[in-house]
Amino acid sequence: MAGRYAPRPTRTTIRGGHIPVPHGPVPDARTEAAPDDQPPPEPQPESVDHDPVHVQGPDLGLTLGPLRRGPADPTFRMTPDGSVWRASRTPDGPGTLRVAVRGGRVAGEAWGAGGSWLMARLPALLGAEDDPAAFVPRHKLLLAAHRRRPGLRLTRTGLVLESLIPSVLEQKVTTHEAYGAWRLLVRKYGEPAPGPAPDGMYVMPDARTWARIPSWEWHRANVDGKRSATIVRAARVAARLEEAAHMDPPAARTRLELVPGIGPWTSAETIQRSNGAPDEVTTGDLHLPGIVGWALAGDRTVDDETMLELLAPYAGQRHRAARLILLSGRVPPRRAPRMTPGDITAI
């Protein structure tokens, strides 16, 4: 029976970044005629088709999966026609992006003030700047995982704050708490996604709005003072933090960690997404060292230092190696009850 059932999802295994994307017919919004009794949609989307980034093409579920913050993330949606929708706040304003695979080709459409910005960076979002050929498996487990996931690409959003804020919300709490806070705050202080986005999609608030959320609203969202203060501090220097998306990953992490409350765990989780960093492995995680140690050495008691030693053969690709380990499903058996979710809203 070993390997027959998927492991129970913990916050770390969820970060393996695999989401099932439905495969269905995708209508072409640019060529499909509107019914006689309905006016043509407005505004018209900016669209582009381009060849798959690599021979096999990117797997949308694997590549974009790390950007979803829970199954009810208001900024991320998968629809039965096989489309992946994202609502983002770009330097040009809010925008909605729809990505789908049509006949082996990746197609993207965008709406809103930030639509042009999103379309210009669509190849990077789908992993065009990633080089999976640089990864050389040195363990049987990783060799098998690498072969089973040929469509894995490391995304690069080019946006720091949209990954930083939910990462701060995830600090030392359960996924249930973090995802719930993200949903509540984005829906309350964000704005509806532009264009024909699925119902319930929102663009996250801008930096000024994050910085002005009153303390009692953080409390209602079940966010303690330490995490809310970190987000407020980051929002006040958002322009400087967004510059990190164009830096080398080590320099980008240094820039983020200048903000009190942002440490190695949070900076790594952010830069992995905003910069597409293949070597920025997460340290300080409750589960990851044990999972890596169990997969590569059969030892679930390893710490961060030992984990980095085990990943040393993959220098330059350690984050990819860690993701493949998570995607392999080889995790140590559970020996303790799940962490009990906290609730400060009644205090």
Side-chain angles (χ1 to χ4, degrees), residues 62-111:
L62 286 171
T63 303
L64 302 181
L67 304 180
R68 185 180 71 162
R69 304 293 181 157
D73 184 349
T75 69
F76 193 105
R77 190 70 55 83
M78 297 169 294
T79 52
D81 64 3
S83 300
V84 176
W85 295 77
R86 292 193 68 235
S88 297
R89 184 167 296 280
T90 75
D92 297 336
T96 302
L97 177 69
R98 174 193 181 212
V99 185
V101 177
R102 301 172 179 151
R105 295 170 64 87
V106 176
E109 298 168 295
W111 295 264

Side-chain angles (χ1 to χ4, degrees), residues 99-183:
V99 185
V101 177
R102 301 172 179 151
R105 295 170 64 87
V106 176
E109 298 168 295
W111 295 264
S116 296
W117 192 95
L118 291 170
M119 292 305 299
R121 287 154 183 80
L122 178 60
L125 184 75
L126 298 176
E129 299 177 9
D130 182 35
D131 182 16
F135 180 75
V136 180
R138 301 181 184 276
H139 296 81
K140 290 183 179 180
L141 175 74
L142 284 170
L143 176 62
H146 189 51
R147 287 177 174 175
R148 285 197 301 266
R149 311 287 185 174
L152 173 62
R153 305 290 181 267
L154 300 184
T155 185
R156 180 171 186 172
T157 66
L159 298 170
V160 173
L161 213 62
E162 75 166 21
S163 292
L164 175 63
I165 290 177
S167 294
V168 173
L169 291 175
E170 293 175 3
Q171 291 177 349
K172 298 183 179 180
V173 297
T174 65
T175 52
H176 176 78
E177 296 170 80
Y179 294 160
W182 174 248
R183 289 194 303 268

Side-chain angles (χ1 to χ4, degrees), residues 164 252-254 256-257 262-272:
L164 175 63
R253 291 187 62 178
T254 299
L256 266 59
E257 290 174 21
I262 298 178
W265 184 92
T266 305
S267 66
E269 290 289 311
T270 302
I271 298 303
Q272 288 165 5

Side-chain angles (χ1 to χ4, degrees), residues 8-33:
R8 292 180 179 179
T10 64
R11 185 173 66 185
T12 308
T13 55
I14 288 172
R15 287 202 190 95
H18 181 218
I19 55 173
V21 176
H23 297 286
V26 181
D28 192 331
R30 295 162 297 155
T31 59
E32 186 176 42

